[in-house]
Amino acid sequence: MLARKMFIGLAALVILAAATPAMAGDEFKGWYGALDLALTQPAGLDQNYASHVDYGDGDFGEVERLVLDNDDNLDFTAAFGYSFGKMGMLQVSYWGTSGNDSFEDTLKGGVYPVVAGYSPNIGGGYLYDTSPGVMFEAESDMKATLWDIDYIRPMSAGDKFSVNWIAGLRVAEFKENIFFDGSDSYDRYLQERHISSSGWGFKVGATANMDFTKQFGLEAALAVSFLQGTSSGSSSFCDGSCGHGPSGFQQDDTEGSDDSMRGE
């Protein structure tokens, strides 16, 4: 499936490249725009929502981490700017991605939710059922955006090869929400976690351009940004009816923040 999507995307890129004249940065003056489409799959989020212990027939069971799988999303990058010719270009660009992933299952044994961590009032907060099993569902909601303001200075290195030097400012934002809802024959646990982070800083990089013909070329880019940011989060852990039913309800809420984060 992924190979087929990559083939379709490459075919569309070739068609668009053949229909669009290549723009030489040291010759063109005026306004311009660009649009990029890509399949993006989040990596490194590690959305571990619970641990499952299958005790089987013995006293010690096999432990597995339950982690949400993030599907790939069709995202876009949009840019517009003004070219001064040999003096360079001033450009504003946007990139964003978002995703919503969920999973539900019924497992025999013990299910230990870890979305909100340990609760001092509720304790470990685990669910256990051998028949029919622990029923649960988990869901994540994620969104990330980048805004860049760049000054791009072209430098010719040959008739068909050029390098664009990039310097600018970057603003980044990231939000992530994770939910867990599980129940056994005796109890029900709900956990949720919310994280919101933002940062800004300087960005430097370079773009290499190879124009094979007037209608077709290749481009490779590398940029690094140094960000100063802030992050805040909250989590909630409740048992029983979670405030929507009879007695037996307990809840813990936790909040935290950090205004001196750095990222690259």
Side-chain angles (χ1 to χ4, degrees):
M1 179 65 72
L2 181 59
R4 184 172 64 87
K5 291 180 178 179
M6 294 178 62
F7 177 78
I8 295 175
L10 181 60
L13 176 62
V14 172
I15 294 173
L16 289 174
T20 306
M23 183 186 73
D26 59 349
E27 298 177 359
F28 177 80
K29 291 184 179 181
W31 295 96
Y32 67 90
L35 179 65
D36 255 342
L37 298 177
L39 288 174
T40 304
Q41 186 177 38
L45 296 181
D46 191 19
Q47 295 181 338
N48 175 210
Y49 58 87
S51 296
H52 171 232
V53 182
D54 185 3
Y55 291 98
D57 298 329
D59 295 331
F60 300 96
E62 182 178 351
V63 181
E64 64 172 333
R65 299 173 73 247
L66 304 180
V67 182
L68 279 170
D69 292 327
N70 301 113
D71 295 330
D72 51 351
N73 308 302
L74 182 61
D75 301 317
F76 73 93
T77 298
F80 72 93
Y82 187 84
S83 174
F84 302 95
K86 294 183 179 181
M87 295 299 296
M89 296 167 280
L90 191 62
Q91 176 178 287
V92 177
S93 60
Y94 165 85
W95 172 85
T97 184
S98 62
N100 184 274
D101 303 289
S102 60
F103 180 77
E104 59 180 69
D105 199 359
T106 300
L107 296 175
K108 295 181 179 180
V111 175
Y112 298 75
V114 297
V115 170
Y118 178 80
S119 167
N121 292 327
I122 305 175
Y126 70 92
L127 300 165
Y128 180 81
D129 202 331
T130 57
S131 179
V134 178
M135 296 179 293
F136 64 89
E137 59 179 341
E139 182 180 357
S140 72
D141 182 39
M142 181 274 300
K143 182 178 181 181
T145 58
L146 292 176
W147 284 96
D148 292 331
I149 301 178
D150 298 321
Y151 172 70
I152 304 172
R153 184 64 182 265
M155 181 188 72
S156 297
D159 293 337
K160 297 182 178 296
F161 184 74
S162 62
V163 177
N164 293 333
W165 300 104
I166 304 172
L169 294 174
R170 164 165 288 182
V171 177
E173 186 177 29
F174 174 79
K175 294 183 178 181
E176 181 185 43
N177 305 307
I178 303 179
F179 306 90
F180 173 88
D181 185 355
S183 61
D184 55 19
S185 300
Y186 306 98
D187 214 339
R188 178 189 182 193
Y189 289 122
L190 272 75
Q191 293 191 7
E192 56 183 280
R193 183 176 73 234
H194 310 278
I195 296 176
S196 178
S197 304
S198 60
W200 70 277
F202 296 101
K203 170 188 171 185
V204 293
T207 301
N209 306 280
M210 175 62 73
D211 296 327
F212 296 103
T213 68
K214 291 184 178 181
Q215 286 78 29
F216 184 78
L218 292 178
E219 177 182 282
L222 175 65
V224 179
S225 55
F226 305 92
L227 305 180
Q228 175 74 35
T230 62
S231 182
S232 62
S234 64
S235 64
S236 178
F237 188 167
C238 66
D239 72 343
S241 59
C242 298
H244 302 288
S247 59
F249 160 68
Q250 287 182 301
Q251 179 167 342
D252 277 337
D253 297 315
T254 305
E255 294 183 358
S257 62
D258 187 347
D259 59 358
S260 59
M261 297 185 64
R262 290 180 175 85
E264 298 178 2

